[in-house]
Amino acid sequence: MEKISKNLFRMFRDEQACSQSFMVKFEQLKKKFDEKAEVQLDSEYHQQLKSYIERIYQQTCLSEDFNDKVFSDMREAEMSNLNRLQKLKNGTSYKKDKHRSRHQNEDWG
């Protein structure tokens, strides 16, 4: 899923990418993803990432109305959505102890 999200972001960011090249690449990634055995993931990040990938796939590869204009119109919003997912992932990242202890001892004054 991480590989798909990184590729999606790269394709949305690439000004030279067109709807057709996007669909070809995304379908390849999705096919490889679907071939893998499904693993139950409990984290909110992974659940949201999976539903995001499914939603984008529905809106692009499975839509008859998907074209260069639709692709162009959705770029900014989808890059923001991918950034939001990345923030969710990084929200649980490691904090140095020196920063953590500073807040614990603030009421010792």
Side-chain angles (χ1 to χ4, degrees), residues 20-65:
Q20 196 60 40
S21 64
F22 176 86
M23 282 176 44
V24 169
K25 179 71 174 169
F26 193 12
E27 283 179 339
Q28 290 172 346
L29 292 165
K30 183 81 165 72
K31 184 179 176 191
K32 286 180 187 173
F33 175 70
D34 290 341
E35 289 172 357
K36 306 262 188 239
E38 188 165 331
V39 176
Q40 184 61 40
L41 301 168
D42 291 332
S43 81
E44 181 183 0
Y45 164 70
H46 287 106
Q47 290 173 358
Q48 286 192 23
L49 182 57
K50 184 178 179 184
S51 65
Y52 174 80
I53 291 168
E54 293 296 333
R55 180 179 63 80
I56 294 298
Y57 189 72
Q58 293 281 333
Q59 288 179 345
T60 58
C61 298
L62 299 182
S63 172
E64 293 179 16
D65 300 328

Side-chain angles (χ1 to χ4, degrees), residues 7-103:
N7 275 284
L8 285 173
F9 190 83
R10 201 173 300 123
M11 289 186 289
F12 284 130
R13 193 179 58 205
D14 182 5
E15 294 294 326
Q16 307 304 313
C18 66
S19 60
Q20 196 60 40
S21 64
F22 176 86
M23 282 176 44
V24 169
K25 179 71 174 169
F26 193 12
E27 283 179 339
Q28 290 172 346
L29 292 165
K30 183 81 165 72
K31 184 179 176 191
K32 286 180 187 173
F33 175 70
D34 290 341
E35 289 172 357
K36 306 262 188 239
E38 188 165 331
V39 176
Q40 184 61 40
L41 301 168
D42 291 332
S43 81
E44 181 183 0
Y45 164 70
H46 287 106
Q47 290 173 358
Q48 286 192 23
L49 182 57
K50 184 178 179 184
S51 65
Y52 174 80
I53 291 168
E54 293 296 333
R55 180 179 63 80
I56 294 298
Y57 189 72
Q58 293 281 333
Q59 288 179 345
T60 58
C61 298
L62 299 182
S63 172
E64 293 179 16
D65 300 328
F66 185 64
N67 56 35
D68 287 339
K69 179 175 180 355
V70 173
F71 182 58
S72 178
D73 291 347
M74 71 189 299
R75 280 179 196 262
E76 290 298 319
E78 296 311 331
M79 284 194 290
S80 293
N81 287 333
L82 285 164
N83 275 330
R84 220 170 281 124
L85 284 168
Q86 199 63 34
K87 284 180 182 176
L88 179 63
K89 175 187 171 192
N90 294 338
T92 58
S93 65
Y94 175 77
K95 264 190 175 175
K96 288 187 176 179
D97 283 337
K98 67 179 186 179
H99 299 298
R100 196 177 289 145
S101 65
R102 185 178 302 157
H103 294 293

